[in-house]
PDB file of all heavy atoms in Angstrom:
ATOM      1  N   LEU A 244      -8.389   5.891   3.245  1.00 92.00           N
ATOM      2  CA  LEU A 244      -7.333   4.792   3.129  1.00 92.00           C
ATOM      3  C   LEU A 244      -6.519   5.122   1.847  1.00 92.00           C
ATOM      4  O   LEU A 244      -5.287   4.755   1.849  1.00 92.00           O
ATOM      5  CB  LEU A 244      -8.116   3.551   2.923  1.00 92.00           C
ATOM      6  CG  LEU A 244      -7.329   2.278   3.420  1.00 92.00           C
ATOM      7  CD1 LEU A 244      -6.773   2.374   4.783  1.00 92.00           C
ATOM      8  CD2 LEU A 244      -8.252   1.087   3.355  1.00 92.00           C
ATOM      9  N   ASP A 245      -7.094   5.713   0.865  1.00 94.00           N
ATOM     10  CA  ASP A 245      -6.241   6.075  -0.263  1.00 94.00           C
ATOM     11  C   ASP A 245      -5.094   7.058   0.041  1.00 94.00           C
ATOM     12  O   ASP A 245      -4.020   6.931  -0.465  1.00 94.00           O
ATOM     13  CB  ASP A 245      -7.164   6.762  -1.258  1.00 94.00           C
ATOM     14  CG  ASP A 245      -8.298   5.839  -1.763  1.00 94.00           C
ATOM     15  OD1 ASP A 245      -7.987   5.017  -2.734  1.00 94.00           O
ATOM     16  OD2 ASP A 245      -9.351   5.876  -1.173  1.00 94.00           O
ATOM     17  N   ALA A 246      -5.475   8.065   0.927  1.00 95.00           N
ATOM     18  CA  ALA A 246      -4.320   8.983   1.389  1.00 95.00           C
ATOM     19  C   ALA A 246      -3.276   8.216   2.112  1.00 95.00           C
ATOM     20  O   ALA A 246      -2.089   8.439   1.933  1.00 95.00           O
ATOM     21  CB  ALA A 246      -4.937  10.085   2.209  1.00 95.00           C
ATOM     22  N   ALA A 247      -3.629   7.293   3.013  1.00 97.00           N
ATOM     23  CA  ALA A 247      -2.692   6.516   3.782  1.00 97.00           C
ATOM     24  C   ALA A 247      -1.806   5.613   2.831  1.00 97.00           C
ATOM     25  O   ALA A 247      -0.588   5.554   2.996  1.00 97.00           O
ATOM     26  CB  ALA A 247      -3.414   5.620   4.742  1.00 97.00           C
ATOM     27  N   TYR A 248      -2.446   5.081   1.796  1.00 97.00           N
ATOM     28  CA  TYR A 248      -1.748   4.229   0.886  1.00 97.00           C
ATOM     29  C   TYR A 248      -0.745   5.037   0.075  1.00 97.00           C
ATOM     30  O   TYR A 248       0.444   4.583  -0.149  1.00 97.00           O
ATOM     31  CB  TYR A 248      -2.637   3.538  -0.075  1.00 97.00           C
ATOM     32  CG  TYR A 248      -1.995   2.481  -0.885  1.00 97.00           C
ATOM     33  CD1 TYR A 248      -1.340   1.353  -0.490  1.00 97.00           C
ATOM     34  CD2 TYR A 248      -1.963   2.658  -2.290  1.00 97.00           C
ATOM     35  CE1 TYR A 248      -0.759   0.485  -1.290  1.00 97.00           C
ATOM     36  CE2 TYR A 248      -1.336   1.776  -3.221  1.00 97.00           C
ATOM     37  CZ  TYR A 248      -0.794   0.656  -2.691  1.00 97.00           C
ATOM     38  OH  TYR A 248      -0.063  -0.252  -3.499  1.00 97.00           O
ATOM     39  N   ALA A 249      -1.177   6.203  -0.322  1.00 97.00           N
ATOM     40  CA  ALA A 249      -0.162   7.124  -1.013  1.00 97.00           C
ATOM     41  C   ALA A 249       1.056   7.478  -0.220  1.00 97.00           C
ATOM     42  O   ALA A 249       2.150   7.559  -0.659  1.00 97.00           O
ATOM     43  CB  ALA A 249      -0.928   8.425  -1.461  1.00 97.00           C
ATOM     44  N   ASP A 250       0.756   7.647   1.123  1.00 98.00           N
ATOM     45  CA  ASP A 250       1.888   7.991   1.992  1.00 98.00           C
ATOM     46  C   ASP A 250       2.799   6.780   2.174  1.00 98.00           C
ATOM     47  O   ASP A 250       4.045   6.863   2.313  1.00 98.00           O
ATOM     48  CB  ASP A 250       1.396   8.412   3.373  1.00 98.00           C
ATOM     49  CG  ASP A 250       1.375   9.906   3.547  1.00 98.00           C
ATOM     50  OD1 ASP A 250       1.667  10.648   2.584  1.00 98.00           O
ATOM     51  OD2 ASP A 250       1.032  10.403   4.625  1.00 98.00           O
ATOM     52  N   LEU A 251       2.181   5.563   2.164  1.00 98.00           N
ATOM     53  CA  LEU A 251       3.065   4.328   2.286  1.00 98.00           C
ATOM     54  C   LEU A 251       3.947   4.228   1.076  1.00 98.00           C
ATOM     55  O   LEU A 251       5.143   3.912   1.215  1.00 98.00           O
ATOM     56  CB  LEU A 251       2.153   3.138   2.416  1.00 98.00           C
ATOM     57  CG  LEU A 251       2.850   1.797   2.462  1.00 98.00           C
ATOM     58  CD1 LEU A 251       3.505   1.582   3.879  1.00 98.00           C
ATOM     59  CD2 LEU A 251       1.897   0.605   2.200  1.00 98.00           C
ATOM     60  N   LEU A 252       3.464   4.448  -0.146  1.00 98.00           N
ATOM     61  CA  LEU A 252       4.223   4.383  -1.368  1.00 98.00           C
ATOM     62  C   LEU A 252       5.278   5.367  -1.387  1.00 98.00           C
ATOM     63  O   LEU A 252       6.393   5.159  -1.953  1.00 98.00           O
ATOM     64  CB  LEU A 252       3.301   4.503  -2.591  1.00 98.00           C
ATOM     65  CG  LEU A 252       2.342   3.433  -2.816  1.00 98.00           C
ATOM     66  CD1 LEU A 252       1.362   3.799  -4.111  1.00 98.00           C
ATOM     67  CD2 LEU A 252       2.903   2.094  -2.987  1.00 98.00           C
ATOM     68  N   ALA A 253       5.121   6.541  -0.812  1.00 98.00           N
ATOM     69  CA  ALA A 253       6.080   7.569  -0.733  1.00 98.00           C
ATOM     70  C   ALA A 253       7.029   7.450   0.522  1.00 98.00           C
ATOM     71  O   ALA A 253       7.918   8.352   0.720  1.00 98.00           O
ATOM     72  CB  ALA A 253       5.447   9.001  -0.689  1.00 98.00           C
ATOM     73  N   ASP A 254       6.888   6.356   1.224  1.00 97.00           N
ATOM     74  CA  ASP A 254       7.637   6.168   2.409  1.00 97.00           C
ATOM     75  C   ASP A 254       7.527   7.148   3.502  1.00 97.00           C
ATOM     76  O   ASP A 254       8.367   7.381   4.429  1.00 97.00           O
ATOM     77  CB  ASP A 254       9.221   6.090   2.176  1.00 97.00           C
ATOM     78  CG  ASP A 254       9.684   4.626   1.873  1.00 97.00           C
ATOM     79  OD1 ASP A 254       8.913   3.735   2.090  1.00 97.00           O
ATOM     80  OD2 ASP A 254      10.851   4.409   1.459  1.00 97.00           O
ATOM     81  N   ASN A 255       6.314   7.835   3.496  1.00 97.00           N
ATOM     82  CA  ASN A 255       5.958   8.655   4.518  1.00 97.00           C
ATOM     83  C   ASN A 255       5.189   8.059   5.661  1.00 97.00           C
ATOM     84  O   ASN A 255       4.854   8.746   6.637  1.00 97.00           O
ATOM     85  CB  ASN A 255       5.190   9.963   3.945  1.00 97.00           C
ATOM     86  CG  ASN A 255       6.020  10.758   3.105  1.00 97.00           C
ATOM     87  OD1 ASN A 255       7.238  11.027   3.382  1.00 97.00           O
ATOM     88  ND2 ASN A 255       5.467  11.325   2.048  1.00 97.00           N
ATOM     89  N   LEU A 256       4.785   6.785   5.439  1.00 98.00           N
ATOM     90  CA  LEU A 256       4.079   6.031   6.401  1.00 98.00           C
ATOM     91  C   LEU A 256       4.765   4.694   6.503  1.00 98.00           C
ATOM     92  O   LEU A 256       5.026   4.019   5.476  1.00 98.00           O
ATOM     93  CB  LEU A 256       2.577   5.902   6.074  1.00 98.00           C
ATOM     94  CG  LEU A 256       1.744   4.970   6.903  1.00 98.00           C
ATOM     95  CD1 LEU A 256       1.478   5.769   8.265  1.00 98.00           C
ATOM     96  CD2 LEU A 256       0.401   4.628   6.195  1.00 98.00           C
ATOM     97  N   ASP A 257       5.028   4.185   7.721  1.00 98.00           N
ATOM     98  CA  ASP A 257       5.711   2.956   7.824  1.00 98.00           C
ATOM     99  C   ASP A 257       4.824   1.709   7.743  1.00 98.00           C
ATOM    100  O   ASP A 257       5.235   0.675   7.140  1.00 98.00           O
ATOM    101  CB  ASP A 257       6.448   2.927   9.231  1.00 98.00           C
ATOM    102  CG  ASP A 257       7.615   3.914   9.172  1.00 98.00           C
ATOM    103  OD1 ASP A 257       8.317   4.104   8.179  1.00 98.00           O
ATOM    104  OD2 ASP A 257       7.793   4.584  10.235  1.00 98.00           O
ATOM    105  N   ILE A 258       3.685   1.697   8.463  1.00 98.00           N
ATOM    106  CA  ILE A 258       2.840   0.555   8.539  1.00 98.00           C
ATOM    107  C   ILE A 258       1.468   0.945   8.097  1.00 98.00           C
ATOM    108  O   ILE A 258       0.815   1.952   8.578  1.00 98.00           O
ATOM    109  CB  ILE A 258       2.735  -0.003   9.946  1.00 98.00           C
ATOM    110  CG1 ILE A 258       4.265  -0.264  10.530  1.00 98.00           C
ATOM    111  CG2 ILE A 258       1.911  -1.286   9.960  1.00 98.00           C
ATOM    112  CD1 ILE A 258       5.013  -1.302   9.702  1.00 98.00           C
ATOM    113  N   LEU A 259       0.818   0.119   7.188  1.00 98.00           N
ATOM    114  CA  LEU A 259      -0.491   0.420   6.766  1.00 98.00           C
ATOM    115  C   LEU A 259      -1.316  -0.972   6.947  1.00 98.00           C
ATOM    116  O   LEU A 259      -0.993  -1.948   6.371  1.00 98.00           O
ATOM    117  CB  LEU A 259      -0.585   0.795   5.292  1.00 98.00           C
ATOM    118  CG  LEU A 259      -1.969   0.958   4.697  1.00 98.00           C
ATOM    119  CD1 LEU A 259      -2.722   2.035   5.417  1.00 98.00           C
ATOM    120  CD2 LEU A 259      -1.925   1.224   3.155  1.00 98.00           C
ATOM    121  N   ALA A 260      -2.304  -0.822   7.808  1.00 94.00           N
ATOM    122  CA  ALA A 260      -3.185  -1.952   7.979  1.00 94.00           C
ATOM    123  C   ALA A 260      -4.423  -1.651   7.215  1.00 94.00           C
ATOM    124  O   ALA A 260      -5.322  -0.926   7.649  1.00 94.00           O
ATOM    125  CB  ALA A 260      -3.468  -2.103   9.509  1.00 94.00           C
ATOM    126  N   GLY A 261      -4.537  -2.387   5.998  1.00 91.00           N
ATOM    127  CA  GLY A 261      -5.682  -2.085   5.161  1.00 91.00           C
ATOM    128  C   GLY A 261      -5.148  -1.501   3.858  1.00 91.00           C
ATOM    129  O   GLY A 261      -4.282  -0.699   3.780  1.00 91.00           O
ATOM    130  N   ILE A 262      -5.835  -1.994   2.779  1.00 92.00           N
ATOM    131  CA  ILE A 262      -5.528  -1.437   1.457  1.00 92.00           C
ATOM    132  C   ILE A 262      -6.789  -0.994   0.823  1.00 92.00           C
ATOM    133  O   ILE A 262      -7.754  -1.666   0.847  1.00 92.00           O
ATOM    134  CB  ILE A 262      -4.896  -2.630   0.551  1.00 92.00           C
ATOM    135  CG1 ILE A 262      -3.583  -3.139   1.142  1.00 92.00           C
ATOM    136  CG2 ILE A 262      -4.685  -2.168  -0.896  1.00 92.00           C
ATOM    137  CD1 ILE A 262      -2.402  -2.137   1.153  1.00 92.00           C
ATOM    138  N   PRO A 263      -6.706   0.160   0.184  1.00 91.00           N
ATOM    139  CA  PRO A 263      -8.029   0.716  -0.438  1.00 91.00           C
ATOM    140  C   PRO A 263      -8.362  -0.146  -1.583  1.00 91.00           C
ATOM    141  O   PRO A 263      -7.561  -0.842  -2.310  1.00 91.00           O
ATOM    142  CB  PRO A 263      -7.562   2.118  -0.931  1.00 91.00           C
ATOM    143  CG  PRO A 263      -6.048   2.046  -1.025  1.00 91.00           C
ATOM    144  CD  PRO A 263      -5.624   1.130   0.091  1.00 91.00           C
ATOM    145  N   ASP A 264      -9.657  -0.281  -1.877  1.00 84.00           N
ATOM    146  CA  ASP A 264     -10.221  -1.160  -2.879  1.00 84.00           C
ATOM    147  C   ASP A 264      -9.526  -0.883  -4.203  1.00 84.00           C
ATOM    148  O   ASP A 264      -9.192  -1.823  -4.950  1.00 84.00           O
ATOM    149  CB  ASP A 264     -11.645  -0.800  -3.101  1.00 84.00           C
ATOM    150  CG  ASP A 264     -12.535  -1.269  -1.895  1.00 84.00           C
ATOM    151  OD1 ASP A 264     -11.980  -1.936  -1.099  1.00 84.00           O
ATOM    152  OD2 ASP A 264     -13.723  -0.888  -1.823  1.00 84.00           O
ATOM    153  N   ALA A 265      -9.246   0.372  -4.563  1.00 89.00           N
ATOM    154  CA  ALA A 265      -8.678   0.629  -5.894  1.00 89.00           C
ATOM    155  C   ALA A 265      -7.202   0.128  -6.037  1.00 89.00           C
ATOM    156  O   ALA A 265      -6.771  -0.038  -7.262  1.00 89.00           O
ATOM    157  CB  ALA A 265      -8.610   2.213  -6.060  1.00 89.00           C
ATOM    158  N   ALA A 266      -6.564  -0.204  -4.958  1.00 94.00           N
ATOM    159  CA  ALA A 266      -5.123  -0.672  -5.059  1.00 94.00           C
ATOM    160  C   ALA A 266      -5.025  -2.204  -4.859  1.00 94.00           C
ATOM    161  O   ALA A 266      -3.979  -2.801  -4.881  1.00 94.00           O
ATOM    162  CB  ALA A 266      -4.319   0.052  -3.998  1.00 94.00           C
ATOM    163  N   LEU A 267      -6.199  -2.879  -4.587  1.00 90.00           N
ATOM    164  CA  LEU A 267      -6.064  -4.299  -4.283  1.00 90.00           C
ATOM    165  C   LEU A 267      -5.550  -5.141  -5.440  1.00 90.00           C
ATOM    166  O   LEU A 267      -4.829  -6.142  -5.214  1.00 90.00           O
ATOM    167  CB  LEU A 267      -7.476  -4.830  -3.891  1.00 90.00           C
ATOM    168  CG  LEU A 267      -7.962  -4.543  -2.451  1.00 90.00           C
ATOM    169  CD1 LEU A 267      -9.433  -5.031  -2.297  1.00 90.00           C
ATOM    170  CD2 LEU A 267      -7.070  -5.247  -1.475  1.00 90.00           C
ATOM    171  N   LYS A 268      -5.746  -4.723  -6.700  1.00 91.00           N
ATOM    172  CA  LYS A 268      -5.203  -5.444  -7.815  1.00 91.00           C
ATOM    173  C   LYS A 268      -3.706  -5.101  -8.000  1.00 91.00           C
ATOM    174  O   LYS A 268      -3.060  -5.925  -8.661  1.00 91.00           O
ATOM    175  CB  LYS A 268      -5.999  -4.962  -9.047  1.00 91.00           C
ATOM    176  CG  LYS A 268      -7.373  -5.552  -9.063  1.00 91.00           C
ATOM    177  CD  LYS A 268      -8.081  -5.191 -10.378  1.00 91.00           C
ATOM    178  CE  LYS A 268      -9.532  -5.748 -10.428  1.00 91.00           C
ATOM    179  NZ  LYS A 268     -10.200  -5.376 -11.728  1.00 91.00           N
ATOM    180  N   THR A 269      -3.254  -4.022  -7.455  1.00 95.00           N
ATOM    181  CA  THR A 269      -1.908  -3.597  -7.770  1.00 95.00           C
ATOM    182  C   THR A 269      -0.861  -3.615  -6.551  1.00 95.00           C
ATOM    183  O   THR A 269       0.342  -3.499  -6.822  1.00 95.00           O
ATOM    184  CB  THR A 269      -1.868  -2.215  -8.351  1.00 95.00           C
ATOM    185  OG1 THR A 269      -2.376  -1.281  -7.489  1.00 95.00           O
ATOM    186  CG2 THR A 269      -2.738  -2.240  -9.658  1.00 95.00           C
ATOM    187  N   TYR A 270      -1.452  -3.735  -5.356  1.00 96.00           N
ATOM    188  CA  TYR A 270      -0.567  -3.434  -4.213  1.00 96.00           C
ATOM    189  C   TYR A 270       0.606  -4.418  -4.005  1.00 96.00           C
ATOM    190  O   TYR A 270       1.655  -4.123  -3.572  1.00 96.00           O
ATOM    191  CB  TYR A 270      -1.358  -3.186  -2.929  1.00 96.00           C
ATOM    192  CG  TYR A 270      -1.742  -4.587  -2.164  1.00 96.00           C
ATOM    193  CD1 TYR A 270      -0.917  -4.925  -0.953  1.00 96.00           C
ATOM    194  CD2 TYR A 270      -2.765  -5.391  -2.619  1.00 96.00           C
ATOM    195  CE1 TYR A 270      -1.277  -6.023  -0.357  1.00 96.00           C
ATOM    196  CE2 TYR A 270      -3.025  -6.516  -1.868  1.00 96.00           C
ATOM    197  CZ  TYR A 270      -2.341  -6.847  -0.742  1.00 96.00           C
ATOM    198  OH  TYR A 270      -2.609  -8.066  -0.042  1.00 96.00           O
ATOM    199  N   LYS A 271       0.330  -5.682  -4.416  1.00 95.00           N
ATOM    200  CA  LYS A 271       1.375  -6.666  -4.378  1.00 95.00           C
ATOM    201  C   LYS A 271       2.518  -6.391  -5.262  1.00 95.00           C
ATOM    202  O   LYS A 271       3.708  -6.595  -5.005  1.00 95.00           O
ATOM    203  CB  LYS A 271       0.904  -8.051  -4.559  1.00 95.00           C
ATOM    204  CG  LYS A 271      -0.060  -8.525  -3.388  1.00 95.00           C
ATOM    205  CD  LYS A 271      -0.553  -9.928  -3.679  1.00 95.00           C
ATOM    206  CE  LYS A 271      -1.452 -10.401  -2.524  1.00 95.00           C
ATOM    207  NZ  LYS A 271      -2.028 -11.792  -2.671  1.00 95.00           N
ATOM    208  N   ASP A 272       2.208  -5.913  -6.499  1.00 97.00           N
ATOM    209  CA  ASP A 272       3.231  -5.362  -7.457  1.00 97.00           C
ATOM    210  C   ASP A 272       3.897  -4.128  -6.921  1.00 97.00           C
ATOM    211  O   ASP A 272       5.146  -3.999  -7.077  1.00 97.00           O
ATOM    212  CB  ASP A 272       2.557  -5.200  -8.811  1.00 97.00           C
ATOM    213  CG  ASP A 272       2.159  -6.531  -9.474  1.00 97.00           C
ATOM    214  OD1 ASP A 272       2.769  -7.535  -9.134  1.00 97.00           O
ATOM    215  OD2 ASP A 272       1.200  -6.409 -10.290  1.00 97.00           O
ATOM    216  N   ASP A 273       3.029  -3.254  -6.394  1.00 97.00           N
ATOM    217  CA  ASP A 273       3.609  -1.952  -5.897  1.00 97.00           C
ATOM    218  C   ASP A 273       4.665  -2.209  -4.729  1.00 97.00           C
ATOM    219  O   ASP A 273       5.608  -1.512  -4.704  1.00 97.00           O
ATOM    220  CB  ASP A 273       2.511  -1.042  -5.295  1.00 97.00           C
ATOM    221  CG  ASP A 273       1.466  -0.642  -6.506  1.00 97.00           C
ATOM    222  OD1 ASP A 273       1.938  -0.670  -7.598  1.00 97.00           O
ATOM    223  OD2 ASP A 273       0.406  -0.138  -6.139  1.00 97.00           O
ATOM    224  N   LEU A 274       4.307  -3.063  -3.853  1.00 98.00           N
ATOM    225  CA  LEU A 274       5.070  -3.248  -2.596  1.00 98.00           C
ATOM    226  C   LEU A 274       6.057  -4.440  -2.656  1.00 98.00           C
ATOM    227  O   LEU A 274       6.918  -4.515  -1.847  1.00 98.00           O
ATOM    228  CB  LEU A 274       4.177  -3.411  -1.418  1.00 98.00           C
ATOM    229  CG  LEU A 274       3.250  -2.225  -1.178  1.00 98.00           C
ATOM    230  CD1 LEU A 274       2.297  -2.516  -0.031  1.00 98.00           C
ATOM    231  CD2 LEU A 274       4.005  -0.988  -0.884  1.00 98.00           C
ATOM    232  N   GLY A 275       5.874  -5.397  -3.532  1.00 97.00           N
ATOM    233  CA  GLY A 275       6.645  -6.586  -3.669  1.00 97.00           C
ATOM    234  C   GLY A 275       6.585  -7.377  -2.275  1.00 97.00           C
ATOM    235  O   GLY A 275       5.494  -7.682  -1.784  1.00 97.00           O
ATOM    236  N   ASP A 276       7.728  -7.719  -1.774  1.00 97.00           N
ATOM    237  CA  ASP A 276       7.774  -8.493  -0.563  1.00 97.00           C
ATOM    238  C   ASP A 276       7.356  -7.739   0.679  1.00 97.00           C
ATOM    239  O   ASP A 276       7.338  -8.256   1.838  1.00 97.00           O
ATOM    240  CB  ASP A 276       9.100  -9.145  -0.289  1.00 97.00           C
ATOM    241  CG  ASP A 276      10.233  -8.140  -0.186  1.00 97.00           C
ATOM    242  OD1 ASP A 276      10.005  -7.051  -0.100  1.00 97.00           O
ATOM    243  OD2 ASP A 276      11.413  -8.610  -0.087  1.00 97.00           O
ATOM    244  N   ARG A 277       7.035  -6.494   0.566  1.00 98.00           N
ATOM    245  CA  ARG A 277       6.534  -5.676   1.619  1.00 98.00           C
ATOM    246  C   ARG A 277       4.968  -5.611   1.743  1.00 98.00           C
ATOM    247  O   ARG A 277       4.382  -4.947   2.531  1.00 98.00           O
ATOM    248  CB  ARG A 277       6.977  -4.260   1.499  1.00 98.00           C
ATOM    249  CG  ARG A 277       8.514  -4.107   1.695  1.00 98.00           C
ATOM    250  CD  ARG A 277       8.995  -2.686   1.635  1.00 98.00           C
ATOM    251  NE  ARG A 277       8.960  -2.139   0.346  1.00 98.00           N
ATOM    252  CZ  ARG A 277       8.130  -1.208  -0.106  1.00 98.00           C
ATOM    253  NH1 ARG A 277       7.384  -0.656   0.812  1.00 98.00           N
ATOM    254  NH2 ARG A 277       8.142  -0.761  -1.320  1.00 98.00           N
ATOM    255  N   ALA A 278       4.343  -6.360   0.874  1.00 97.00           N
ATOM    256  CA  ALA A 278       2.933  -6.479   0.890  1.00 97.00           C
ATOM    257  C   ALA A 278       2.549  -7.575   1.843  1.00 97.00           C
ATOM    258  O   ALA A 278       3.177  -8.630   2.053  1.00 97.00           O
ATOM    259  CB  ALA A 278       2.444  -6.905  -0.540  1.00 97.00           C
ATOM    260  N   VAL A 279       1.405  -7.423   2.461  1.00 95.00           N
ATOM    261  CA  VAL A 279       0.938  -8.374   3.492  1.00 95.00           C
ATOM    262  C   VAL A 279      -0.436  -8.842   3.123  1.00 95.00           C
ATOM    263  O   VAL A 279      -1.349  -8.112   2.708  1.00 95.00           O
ATOM    264  CB  VAL A 279       0.710  -7.694   4.902  1.00 95.00           C
ATOM    265  CG1 VAL A 279       0.085  -8.663   5.951  1.00 95.00           C
ATOM    266  CG2 VAL A 279       2.080  -7.174   5.422  1.00 95.00           C
TER     267      VAL A 279
END
């Protein structure tokens, strides 16, 4: 899931269902209104 999340941040993946544990504290800041 970490590799998928890295691709999402790089715009190499369009949709990610699931966030790796390590990113749960930061993903809303990382993605802004694109966080689910």
Side-chain angles (χ1 to χ4, degrees):
L244 205 53
D245 298 274
Y248 185 65
D250 263 5
L251 180 71
L252 294 179
D254 267 354
N255 290 326
L256 179 70
D257 292 319
I258 306 296
L259 177 62
I262 298 294
D264 293 348
L267 283 173
K268 292 183 179 180
T269 62
Y270 86 102
K271 292 182 180 178
D272 291 332
D273 293 341
L274 299 174
D276 59 7
R277 294 182 289 111
V279 175

